[in-house]
Amino acid sequence: MKIVILDGYGLNPGDLSWQEFEKMGEVTVYDRTSPSEVHDRAKNADVILTNKVVLNKETIDGLPSLKYIGVLATGYNVVDIEAAHSRGITVTNIPAYSTMSVVQQVFALLLAVTNRPEHYALETRAGEWSRSKDFCYWNTPLIELAGKNFGIVGLGNIGMAVAKVALAFGMKVLAFTSKEIEDLPDGIEKVTLSGLFSSSDIISLHCPLTAQTDQLINAESISEMKTGVILINTGRGPLVDEKAVAEALKSGKIRAFCADVLSTEPPAGDNPLLAAPNTYITPHIAWATKEARERLMKIAGSNLKSFLSGKPVNAV
């Protein structure tokens, strides 16, 4: 069996092992694959593993040996599912492998706004504390989280885990969710989307990207928000109208924008958020702790093993 990994570097830059896959077949790993290279590299493959390399209908139809596509991520929009199913090709994804790592990133970003630890570490290194006339030194607002309204859009695995940490900080959690009120843990209040926008001091996005949520955060929704709101996006870049958010940052309507995802990755140099004030943008690393990547690798191997045994799991 021929297994081709089209973009393995993101998952495994060298600190993990493809050994489990090598037990199941002949493995060829490419760090990165451009669209023009997909056919030649995968033309004899029985199994393809992909993270961000797109497999559209034309590509899938041109791969006669293909039986299985393993997406090395939770989102599987890189694969034309209908085209794969029409060929009898099984497609799997990796659910819930990075939940706690993403939660950790959400609050790392939030604390970067409220407590500014990197700023003050650099200020101290530069001698500002040593020159202070007082025992303490600060030159930015410092914000306590307890008592703030923390709005969460989407209460899936990650959203629910974020809610629990927000509650531990003493915040009141407001959620826009399809879950019934009686199914929500104590401390989480179900609200309308408009109610969440108007009442939240902090808003964190954890909903899937759909036609309904594309640019959910836009000029109109921002106008409903409190002045000084902190906005966090670790979900999908296109949930946000980046130009509208940049303008709101410049006007002060949004206090800070925290994101680990952007609409195009890597971002173009003229992305308006890169020059906007009070942005805290990390390069899509929330999922990339070694522990999360180890889980991803393990689940990906288990997915393929289950498929080969005739009992697919995590099929989409």
Side-chain angles (χ1 to χ4, degrees), residues 175-196:
F176 177 70
T177 175
S178 59
K179 290 182 168 61
E180 299 297 331
I181 293 175
E182 56 268 23
D183 295 330
L184 298 181
D186 290 343
I188 300 178
E189 179 184 349
K190 181 172 179 173
V191 295
T192 65
L193 189 58
S194 182
L196 185 145

Side-chain angles (χ1 to χ4, degrees), residues 100-110 234 259-260 282 285-286:
M100 296 316 299
S101 290
V102 175
V103 172
Q104 184 174 312
Q105 187 73 5
V106 168
F107 287 94
L109 288 165
L110 179 56
T234 56
D260 188 55
T282 51
I285 57 170

Side-chain angles (χ1 to χ4, degrees), residues 91-282:
V91 183
T92 65
N93 73 333
I94 315 289
Y97 71 93
S98 64
T99 297
M100 296 316 299
S101 290
V102 175
V103 172
Q104 184 174 312
Q105 187 73 5
V106 168
F107 287 94
L109 288 165
L110 179 56
L111 292 171
V113 176
T114 60
N115 291 61
R116 303 292 300 276
E118 184 175 9
H119 168 77
Y120 285 108
L122 291 172
E123 290 281 274
T124 299
R125 185 181 291 273
E128 292 299 333
W129 190 15
S130 298
R131 290 187 286 271
S132 175
K133 296 178 181 180
D134 305 298
F135 74 94
C136 57
Y137 165 81
W138 73 90
N139 61 358
T140 69
L142 298 171
I143 302 165
E144 183 174 82
L145 292 175
K148 299 291 189 294
N149 288 345
F150 191 101
I152 300 177
V153 181
L155 273 185
N157 290 324
I158 294 174
M160 189 65 77
V162 166
K164 291 177 181 177
V165 177
L167 289 170
F169 269 107
M171 290 185 274
K172 179 180 178 180
V173 174
L174 311 176
F176 177 70
T177 175
S178 59
K179 290 182 168 61
E180 299 297 331
I181 293 175
E182 56 268 23
D183 295 330
L184 298 181
D186 290 343
I188 300 178
E189 179 184 349
K190 181 172 179 173
V191 295
T192 65
L193 189 58
S194 182
L196 185 145
F197 288 151
S198 63
S199 300
S200 297
D201 301 295
I202 301 150
I203 297 172
S204 194
L205 305 179
H206 300 287
C207 54
L209 178 63
T210 66
Q212 289 71 41
T213 61
D214 186 31
Q215 296 200 349
L216 179 72
I217 305 302
N218 53 46
E220 182 178 354
S221 58
I222 290 169
S223 71
E224 298 184 63
M225 298 177 191
K226 288 184 175 183
T227 296
V229 67
I230 298 170
L231 179 62
I232 306 170
N233 184 18
T234 56
R236 293 287 182 266
L239 294 172
V240 167
D241 178 338
E242 292 169 343
K243 184 177 179 181
V245 169
E247 290 300 318
L249 285 162
K250 291 175 186 176
S251 72
K253 176 69 174 181
I254 295 178
R255 177 192 291 272
F257 177 64
C258 305
D260 188 55
V261 289
L262 292 175
S263 60
T264 301
E265 298 173 346
D270 61 354
N271 184 305
L273 288 172
L274 299 183
N278 300 317
T279 55
Y280 298 77
I281 300 172
T282 51

Side-chain angles (χ1 to χ4, degrees), residues 57-76:
K57 184 179 190 306
E58 182 182 1
T59 300
I60 290 170
D61 288 345
L63 301 174
S65 301
L66 189 59
K67 303 175 183 64
Y68 176 92
I69 299 170
V71 181
L72 299 173
T74 302
Y76 47 86

